[in-house]
Amino acid sequence: MTAAITVERLLGAEAPAPPLENLTPGVPLDGPVTRAGLSNPGLALAGYTARIARGQLQLFGETEMSYLSTLPADQVRWRLEAVFACGVPAVIVSSGLEVPSPFLDAAEGSGVAVFRSGLATAELHRALGPRLDDLLAPTTSIHGSLADVYGIGLLFTGPSGIGKSECVLGLVRRGHRLVADDLVLVSRRGSDIIVGRAHELQNFHMEIRGIGIIDVASMFGTRATRLRKRIEVVVDLQPWDDARDYDRTGLDREMTDILGVEVPRLAIPLNPGKNPTAISEVIAMNQLLAYRGVDMPTRFNEALRRAMNPLDRPVDDHE
Amino acid sequence: MSERTRRRTVEVVNRLGMHARPSADFVRLASRFAASITVSRGDSRREGPVGKGTSPAGSPMAVNGKSIMGVLMLAAERGSRLTISAEGEDAEGAVEALAGLVRRGFGE
């Protein structure tokens, strides 16, 4: 799925963009931005337009504008038209540079909006780059609850009524932090990180069966909440099933795929008397230890093998 | 689409839209069915503002029909269209009953 946003949403008057001056107010802002990052057209102005990516914002800095100033007006016009014909959604001119009228004529004729910013090229990259990444990132929504437990993002999944919210409530009471209840909006950062957050309307409310909707921020204070968190472990809460085999050693880790990122997944069977809060804290601590290279089941198993075979050389765990 | 998946799109007709009470009625009814039920806003033709049942990129967001928090986040006002999908043995009965509830305006 290729995400797309309009120029309006990214740079329009309502957008949280750095202050921009719209030099072509007559041009509609409905063009789609489909590529992250901002590109400096550079060589494309000299005629080599093959590398211009459709749907990417073009940034005109000192280099581009001073090069254009060396050209006669008709050349400025047709060279820009050649660039604008490559699916350019909008143009930003940096450093408050002067924009000559042939430039604006070409843009208006091609239906490309031109903005001007007082910021330098590098500052514009910094101001708009992360927002573009965020808006264009692959996203999905997951039925589950997300909490920050000892700094580890645990995503609780499982059937309705299994007790995901109750588990998170127990964690919040123990000083951990709620990110999202029941509906987690997930987006990918780069190729290997997935981040979850709540829908804006949720605002740290959750539903507890039998009580109804509660406001966790009012009840437990701001320290019980977190706006977004990287998802590091999926905790799949399941009704206890005698017929199912659960992991008994932890030697093998099951992984699950979210937006193309592999995340460890643990299936936790629940029956009356199980304390999912305590189990969740242990899962988080286990992950913290894993980050430090401590693998408790393997270490335990190695010690056991050495005790059984004192003369053997170390053997691979998967033999 | 598997043969046990059923889908129906209905318009929200009650004056106040899917606020807490109708949403509670919806999830209560949905929870009586074994089928898994998802609901999304059917008016995905426009890029919706965040906060109107859309994901950050403005794509339609599908929520679990048995989760009140999820259904509330759709913020489905009067005139909006909801697509109800059910998958499982009783999918037909589930979409029939839920679509009927929305169409009757939740008795409001």
Side-chain angles (χ1 to χ4, degrees):
Chain A
M1 158 194 83
T2 310
I5 48 171
T6 61
V7 173
E8 173 78 55
R9 183 132 182 258
L10 188 72
L11 306 173
E14 302 283 302
L20 293 169
E21 187 189 348
N22 187 345
L23 302 180
T24 51
V27 174
L29 301 180
D30 53 359
V33 180
T34 54
R35 276 182 81 99
L38 299 105
S39 168
N40 286 82
L43 272 180
L45 293 176
Y48 183 63
T49 54
R51 303 295 301 170
I52 290 248
R54 297 192 77 80
Q56 189 170 36
L57 294 176
Q58 296 294 325
L59 191 54
F60 284 66
E62 300 270 2
T63 312
E64 286 77 14
M65 297 312 277
S66 62
Y67 174 65
L68 288 175
S69 74
T70 66
L71 302 174
D74 61 324
Q75 280 222 33
V76 169
R77 211 186 147 125
W78 68 253
R79 288 190 188 220
L80 284 170
E81 279 165 357
V83 172
F84 295 159
C86 302
V88 173
V91 158
I92 305 176
V93 177
S94 68
S95 311
L97 294 165
E98 193 60 42
V99 183
S101 59
F103 191 120
L104 295 176
D105 291 344
E108 275 166 355
S110 310
V112 172
V114 179
F115 294 87
R116 180 163 56 190
S117 166
L119 297 180
T121 303
E123 289 169 325
L124 275 170
H125 278 287
R126 200 161 53 228
L128 288 169
R131 196 171 130 73
L132 264 170
D133 283 345
D134 203 34
L135 287 169
L136 293 173
T139 60
T140 186
S141 56
I142 293 180
H143 175 229
S145 298
L146 180 61
D148 171 345
V149 182
Y150 299 128
I152 300 289
L154 299 186
L155 174 66
F156 295 93
T157 60
S160 292
I162 188 77
K164 296 183 290 291
S165 302
E166 288 74 9
C167 175
V168 170
L169 182 65
L171 289 165
V172 163
R173 287 194 63 238
R174 300 257 308 142
H176 304 291
R177 301 165 81 183
L178 167 71
V179 182
D181 181 45
D182 240 6
L183 177 69
V184 184
L185 306 181
V186 183
S187 66
R188 196 176 76 199
R189 299 279 159 85
S191 61
D192 59 349
I193 287 179
I194 44 168
V195 175
R197 64 175 180 81
H199 194 281
E200 274 81 351
L201 288 174
Q202 188 171 90
N203 199 20
F204 305 117
H205 287 68
M206 61 195 293
E207 187 226 0
I208 298 298
R209 299 277 160 107
I211 299 176
I213 297 166
I214 63 166
D215 176 0
V216 168
S218 306
M219 206 176 256
F220 297 96
T222 189
R223 65 164 195 178
T225 65
R226 181 164 181 161
L227 283 171
R228 55 186 72 216
K229 179 76 192 92
R230 178 179 167 196
I231 297 170
E232 289 158 288
V233 184
V234 174
V235 182
D236 192 14
L237 302 176
Q238 301 181 341
W240 189 281
D241 180 358
D242 281 329
R244 202 194 132 116
D245 288 329
Y246 296 103
D247 196 345
R248 305 297 291 268
T249 64
L251 286 169
D252 304 305
R253 284 200 113 175
E254 189 189 324
M255 305 295 275
T256 188
D257 181 288
I258 300 176
L259 293 173
V261 179
E262 293 274 289
V263 186
R265 173 185 169 277
L266 292 143
I268 303 297
L270 289 182
N271 62 0
K274 284 270 172 184
N275 182 347
T277 304
I279 292 170
S280 302
E281 286 184 333
V282 169
I283 290 170
M285 289 187 281
N286 207 10
Q287 185 66 19
L288 282 172
L289 285 170
Y291 284 153
R292 291 193 197 170
V294 180
D295 177 349
M296 293 181 293
T298 303
R299 200 169 60 182
F300 180 88
N301 201 31
E302 279 166 5
L304 182 65
R305 286 185 180 195
R306 273 196 304 275
M308 292 188 296
N309 310 292
L311 299 176
D312 273 7
R313 56 179 176 78
V315 285
D316 184 73
D317 192 59
H318 293 283
E319 271 179 21
Chain B
M1 198 186 286
S2 92
E3 52 183 344
R4 284 183 302 137
T5 301
R6 293 290 179 273
R7 185 165 297 165
R8 203 143 310 168
T9 300
V10 281
E11 186 178 327
V12 176
V13 295
N14 58 312
R15 193 169 61 84
L16 297 172
M18 292 278 283
H19 64 96
R21 280 182 203 289
S23 298
D25 290 344
F26 188 96
V27 296
R28 222 176 277 132
L29 182 57
S31 301
R32 290 196 203 137
F33 295 92
S36 66
I37 294 161
T38 55
V39 191
S40 57
R41 282 177 63 120
D43 48 355
S44 54
R45 60 187 179 276
R46 67 185 170 92
E47 184 183 89
V50 173
K52 284 279 189 179
T54 55
S55 69
S59 53
M61 178 178 71
V63 304
N64 186 315
K66 298 179 184 180
S67 134
I68 187 156
M69 269 300 156
V71 172
L72 285 172
M73 292 309 110
L74 291 171
E77 76 278 13
R78 179 182 194 173
S80 60
R81 295 172 74 76
L82 295 178
T83 299
I84 303 165
S85 313
E87 194 178 345
E89 293 291 346
D90 51 4
E92 181 68 49
V95 290
E96 195 63 45
L98 291 165
L101 180 69
V102 177
R103 224 182 277 119
R104 286 193 305 276
F106 302 91
E108 285 201 331

